[in-house]
Every structure is written in C-alpha cells, then in structure tokens.
Amino acid sequence: MTISLRNRRAGAAAAATALALASLAALAGTATPASASGRATTTGPATAAATTASAPESAAALKPASPAVSASPASGDPAVPSALTLPRPTGPYATGRDTLFLTDHERTDPWVPAAGARRLLVSLHYPARPGSGGDPSPYMPEAEARLMLAQRGLDDPKWPGLVAATRTFSRTDARPAPGRFPLVLLSPGFGTPRATLTGLAEELASRGYVVATADHPYESTGTELPDGRILTCAACDEVAAQPDDAGRRKVLAAVSTGRAADFSFLLDRLTGPRPAWRHARTIDARRVGMAGHSIGGNAAASTMAADRRVDAGVNMDGTFFDPVGARGLDRRPFLMLGTDPGHAPGTGDTSWDEGWARLDGFKRWLTVRDSGHFTFTDTPAIGEQLGIVDPGAPLSAARSTTITRAYVTAFFDRGLRGRPARLLDGPTPAHPEVLFQRP
C-alpha cells in the first residue's frame, strides 16, 4: 500500500516545518523527496501538498524527516504489529537511563528570544548494575511521535502510540555500574527528536560509555517539556523565510554552531564542580567524544572546534554547513560515515571533500552501499516493524544497526580508550557494504 497524504491537519507549526524542510532540497540542486530511510528517490510530478509534506534535501546535503515510500496494510490488518522494539544492545553491561532538563541562564534562545534562557532536554544512558532499576525507560512522548510522523506524511492514527511505546532496554532508576566511563555526546538531525538515536545510545552504554543525547529546543518537529508544553521547529521557520540558498546555508551553519554552545554548556553541567546529574561521578571527563546525525554530525565538528574537551568526533551523513576550519581539529580523530553514493568523494556534497582535506588527525571516510540518510538512526528498525519499505535504500534494518554500531563503537574505542580497532584498517568480508574512501 502506497502512503497517501490522507490528513494534513497537523497544524500551522507542522506546515511551516514541512515548508522549511522542502526548501532545503534546493540547496542540493534537487526537489526530489526522500524516503522513510532518507534515500533520495526519483519521482514524477508531485502535487503541491505532496511537495510541502515531503521535505528534505537529497543525500548530497541535510536531510531531515521525510515521507515513506510504502507501508503495511491498512489499520486493523493482522500484519500491523501490536508492539515495537529497538534492537537489543550487544555489550556486557546492563543500561540505565536518566533525563535532565537544564537551563543555560547565560544564553537567550537563538530561535525564540521571547522564550528566555536556552533550555536543553538530555537523555543520559549509562552502564548499570544487572537487575537494578525499574521499568524499561520510555522511548518518546506520544505528542512528539505524532508530530514527527505527521511531518513525514505518516498519518495512521495508531502509529504515534506504537512508536512512542517502542520497547527500549534501559531501566529507569538503575544503579550505575562501578567505575568511571568515557562520555559520548549525541546530537540528532535537524527537525528530528533525540529519541531517534536511542538504539545507538543504548549500544554505547552497554559497551561502557556514558551517553548524553540532547534535544535542541525549536530545532525539532516537537519537543515536550516536563510541564507538557510542546516546542515546535522555529528554526525550520527561519530556514523557510530565507530568500535564497546562501541565506538557508547561513541559518543551518548557525544551527550547528549553536549546538556547539549547547554541548559546551552541557559538558560544564556534567563535569563541572557542581554537576547536574546524580551519577556524574561515573564520567571520566578526560575522555569525551561526540557523534551526530545529519546536522548533528556537523555539530560534532563545530563542538570540537569550539571546545577542546571533546577528543573525537563522528559525522553520520551530515553536510558541513559550518565548515571544518582551515587549521583542522588540533589533530583529534574524526570519522565521516555516510551514504553511498551520496557522500562518496566528488559527489553532490562537496563539503565532505573540503572537510576531509582539512581534518588533520586520524580520520576515516566510510560510505555504506544501499543505505539512506536515516540508516544511522532508529528509523530502519522501527519502520521495518511497521512494514515501511523503501526500494531506494534496500539495506535491512539488521544490517543498518550492525554497521552503525560496529563502526561508531570501534572509532570511540580507538579514540577514547586507545584500543586497537582493526575494523577501521580497511574493508572486511563481515561488512561488504562499507566502502573505505581514500580521495
């Protein structure tokens, strides 16, 4: 069954978000919408409604949320699952999860100054003692799921509840495992909630990392505050208001550098003299890495450029709207992990060629065959369970999960723990989809 845009009553905020994301396609020189996995697809003439609803850039640049290609049978069909689950973490540790709501009183929110001080919602995943803690932690609020799915053109009324209730493997109130662990910061894509990086966060925590994943207010389709208020994507409105590509790129560069300021503040609150997190003693502040998806990947480089405390970074399929500086990153390691051919050398996103030339430490440029923009998030696992199919990005959810976990973990094991990482030495038969680029 091909998804049709049955219900576009998501409200003015969702319409503005879709318009902003649609305008990003022009930055890559294409107006083709992307699939649920983010792979740009070739389409025929589209209606105005479909164009508005199917917004992101192609694989050559930033690609936030996007509509699915096809989906499971209509609601009520036995094939529709009664419950969804993330892939189980593979590391030796059980995992716990806490949530922090932080306010940076020294900064005004850049997108809605009238809102006052900049605020952050942060999920903290950490190695935990086996058998401790309460129920599995929630995946995301239903209101956030509804807004995210509506922007992607997925209007089945049962799906927001299903997605929100996705089973995770981290326990609330779990006691931390003994020891001190490296810290990894995670930043989601533009217009995308932090929950979509939960699978990667749980995997890293199960392998002995503390992981802090931040929602950046007004940069997502929806962020639910502790008091129940929902913040929608004012930054998307700002992108849509720009008269040309140069203006849009300038705003997106500001998104990346603004996130760098968010994460410097978060590091202060996690590792400073009066930490905001009750288990902050488990963090080894001498070993900090950062990874991000889409614009969050650009933010990893921006944060490293602004804050020397971040020792290693990963960009998962994100355009460098804020370019890597001419002086590089002080010889700190950096991994670029993207779609193929969308992020292969000499293709549409020249910011990767430019960034690669400026990176001055240990570096790897990997692309993944048959992948899509959202391959590196929870989207394939959740979408596959819902029956969503994308012929343009045929890499299975299992392979998407395995590849992302393997290479990101290997990179941080090498960069933060000094462990050998043979997986990063070159191609391997275990992962034939992964191509090592050496421009």
Side-chain angles (χ1 to χ4, degrees):
M1 173 182 175
T2 299
I3 287 180
S4 59
L5 302 180
R6 302 183 301 277
N7 177 9
R8 301 314 312 161
R9 295 176 294 175
T17 299
L19 177 62
L21 300 181
S23 72
L24 295 179
L27 297 178
T30 177
T32 58
S35 67
S37 62
R39 177 74 172 249
T41 57
T42 301
T43 59
T47 65
T51 301
T52 300
S54 60
E57 293 184 75
S58 74
L62 183 72
K63 298 175 292 300
S66 52
V69 174
S70 60
S72 58
S75 299
D77 189 283
V80 177
S82 60
L84 309 178
T85 183
L86 294 179
R88 183 180 295 274
T90 64
Y93 289 98
T95 60
R97 199 199 82 176
D98 276 348
T99 303
L100 292 181
F101 182 49
L102 303 175
T103 302
D104 184 354
H105 295 285
E106 296 184 3
R107 298 170 59 218
T108 299
D109 191 276
W111 309 114
V112 183
R118 182 66 161 171
R119 294 166 291 183
L120 293 181
L121 268 167
V122 181
S123 295
L124 282 149
H125 291 85
Y126 56 94
R129 294 178 184 268
S132 67
D135 295 331
S137 58
Y139 184 64
M140 70 162 61
E142 187 168 342
E144 289 186 12
R146 181 175 296 108
L147 287 168
M148 179 183 72
L149 291 167
Q151 192 282 319
R152 300 183 187 196
L154 303 172
D155 296 330
D156 189 303
K158 293 184 179 180
W159 283 8
L162 279 171
V163 171
T166 298
R167 195 264 175 105
T168 70
F169 291 90
S170 298
R171 299 278 176 173
T172 59
D173 297 319
R175 290 183 295 151
R180 301 183 71 202
F181 305 97
L183 172 65
V184 173
L185 310 171
L186 292 181
S187 185
F190 187 65
T192 306
R194 74 187 190 280
T196 55
L197 294 177
T198 299
L200 179 58
E202 290 191 329
E203 175 69 10
L204 288 167
S206 80
R207 292 187 171 273
Y209 293 89
V210 174
V211 185
T213 311
D215 254 335
H216 308 274
Y218 302 110
E219 297 174 20
S220 170
T221 48
T223 301
E224 184 174 298
L225 301 182
D227 63 7
R229 286 181 294 160
I230 305 293
L231 308 183
T232 53
C233 196
C236 298
D237 300 347
E238 186 68 20
V239 172
Q242 300 307 305
D244 53 27
D245 293 353
R248 287 186 281 272
R249 288 184 177 275
K250 185 176 180 180
V251 174
L252 291 165
V255 171
S256 188
T257 56
R259 291 189 179 193
D262 288 344
F263 279 108
S264 287
F265 164 70
L266 178 56
L267 276 173
D268 291 342
R269 300 300 288 124
L270 291 177
T271 65
R274 295 181 179 178
W277 184 39
R278 58 180 173 166
H279 300 313
R281 67 185 182 279
T282 63
I283 294 174
D284 182 351
R286 300 167 301 172
R287 298 182 290 172
V288 179
M290 181 170 170
H293 171 244
S294 199
I295 197 110
N298 189 182
S302 296
T303 304
M304 291 179 71
D307 197 321
R308 193 61 184 81
R309 291 175 292 181
V310 182
D311 302 301
V314 179
N315 179 353
M316 298 184 291
D317 213 51
T319 292
F320 291 102
F321 290 104
D322 176 38
V324 177
R327 295 186 177 182
L329 295 174
D330 298 324
R331 304 190 65 82
R332 285 169 288 173
F334 201 87
L335 169 65
M336 304 192 314
L337 177 65
T339 53
D340 190 271
H343 273 115
T347 55
D349 189 354
T350 58
S351 76
W352 276 41
D353 299 82
E354 296 162 2
W356 176 259
R358 293 177 173 182
L359 293 171
D360 56 344
F362 175 87
K363 57 185 179 180
R364 289 292 183 268
W365 183 343
L366 309 180
T367 56
V368 184
R369 290 193 186 101
D370 296 331
S371 63
H373 186 56
F374 286 91
T375 284
F376 313 102
T377 73
D378 297 339
T379 299
I382 291 175
E384 195 169 276
Q385 291 173 77
L386 289 172
I388 298 173
V389 176
D390 178 8
L395 191 68
S396 70
R399 292 302 298 154
S400 298
T401 298
T402 297
I403 289 168
T404 303
R405 287 175 167 183
Y407 285 91
V408 173
T409 302
F411 179 78
F412 284 131
D413 281 350
R414 184 193 184 280
L416 302 182
R417 289 180 158 141
R419 296 178 177 174
R422 294 181 180 177
L423 193 62
L424 301 175
D425 290 343
T428 172
H431 303 296
E433 308 93 337
V434 179
L435 306 177
F436 280 67
Q437 305 293 349
R438 295 182 173 90

